[in-house]
Amino acid sequence: MRQGSGIRRLVQSGIAVLALGAGALLPAAGQAVAQTLASLGTVAQPAAITGEAKPVIAWTEFCRRYPAECAVDASEPEVVTLTPRLWQTVVSVNRAVNGSKRPVTDQEHWGVPDRWDLAEDGSGDCEDFQLLKRKLLAQSGLPRRAMRMTVVIDEKGEGHAVLMLRTDRGDLILDNKTSAVLPWQRTGYVFIKREAQDAGPWVSLGRAIGPAVTANR
């Protein structure tokens, strides 16, 4: 995907945005954001790391195809300060991607159980939605190091991928199942593992056994 093409797609999908400052992405003047920053409540504890974990196999294959999407810049902050401007950016991108891509399983899409991609053809499953959100947010100025791909067990007991944004208000979750950006504790998911903040293995977020695939729409 060419630089800036994701932002143009957001405009085309009906979410008006403006590029401000050093590429910051914001709703246009008068564009309401239904979910308010105050709705997050008090500062929440981050998801605790309990050890190292192996990444999903499809993640490793994705990184071979898109090495820049997996690179870790240790000079970037691990945690961002959640300002109203940043909050509007995150909520807008989450809603726009969820509303502009067609959900489809990897088996239907590619003929394989699990493949991580960027939904560049307009279709994808859970991890594809989150990877595209991260790409767009990074283009708008958010540090990639503070946005970690995360594996959970969902309400159906199935493997699912979400995007964790690490902030001074706690770890927030971007999800294709809802356009609400929620603190990790309020998602109802069992958190298994996520990308580490530095190069190397992923980190475990609990003692549950991780799913082999995250092929959930």
Side-chain angles (χ1 to χ4, degrees):
M1 183 183 297
R2 293 191 302 275
Q3 180 77 10
S5 65
I7 295 176
R8 287 194 295 274
R9 289 180 185 177
L10 291 183
V11 176
Q12 293 165 359
S13 71
I15 303 296
V17 294
L18 293 174
L20 301 179
L25 186 66
L26 283 177
Q31 178 69 37
V33 176
Q35 192 185 7
T36 65
L37 185 55
S39 68
L40 290 180
T42 58
V43 176
Q45 289 295 321
I49 295 172
T50 60
E52 291 187 353
K54 292 182 179 180
V56 177
I57 293 174
W59 161 261
T60 304
E61 295 169 349
F62 170 80
C63 291
R64 292 194 189 103
R65 300 195 311 275
Y66 299 95
E69 294 297 318
C70 303
V72 176
D73 183 352
S75 68
E76 289 185 336
E78 297 183 17
V79 174
V80 295
T81 300
L82 194 63
T83 64
R85 174 178 292 188
L86 176 58
W87 173 249
Q88 289 181 355
T89 298
V90 171
V91 170
S92 294
V93 169
N94 188 59
R95 181 185 296 115
V97 171
N98 286 353
S100 63
K101 302 300 174 183
R102 183 174 69 93
V104 60
T105 67
D106 287 327
Q107 194 65 53
E108 296 168 323
H109 197 183
W110 303 107
V112 296
D114 199 18
R115 173 183 165 119
W116 289 36
D117 221 301
L118 288 166
E120 292 173 298
D121 63 356
S123 301
D125 66 354
C126 55
E127 69 275 350
D128 308 327
F129 278 58
Q130 318 324 332
L131 287 165
L132 176 58
K133 292 171 191 177
R134 183 168 76 168
K135 183 179 181 68
L136 294 176
L137 289 169
Q139 288 177 356
S140 70
L142 272 74
R144 191 182 300 276
R145 193 178 182 214
M147 297 183 285
R148 302 286 83 188
M149 289 297 295
T150 303
V151 173
V152 302
I153 301 296
D154 69 5
E155 74 284 354
K156 298 178 181 178
E158 298 176 345
H160 183 49
V162 296
L163 180 62
M164 178 182 287
L165 174 62
R166 309 210 61 228
T167 82
D168 62 343
R169 297 285 295 272
D171 294 337
L172 305 180
I173 301 302
L174 283 71
D175 191 355
N176 60 298
K177 293 189 175 189
T178 175
S179 287
V181 177
L182 298 173
W184 70 277
Q185 301 99 323
R186 286 167 51 189
T187 61
Y189 296 150
V190 176
F191 281 72
I192 306 300
K193 55 188 175 182
R194 66 164 171 81
E195 292 177 81
Q197 240 72 35
D198 299 298
W202 280 30
V203 293
S204 175
L205 301 176
R207 294 184 174 85
I209 298 174
V213 299
T214 56
N216 200 323
R217 281 196 229 182

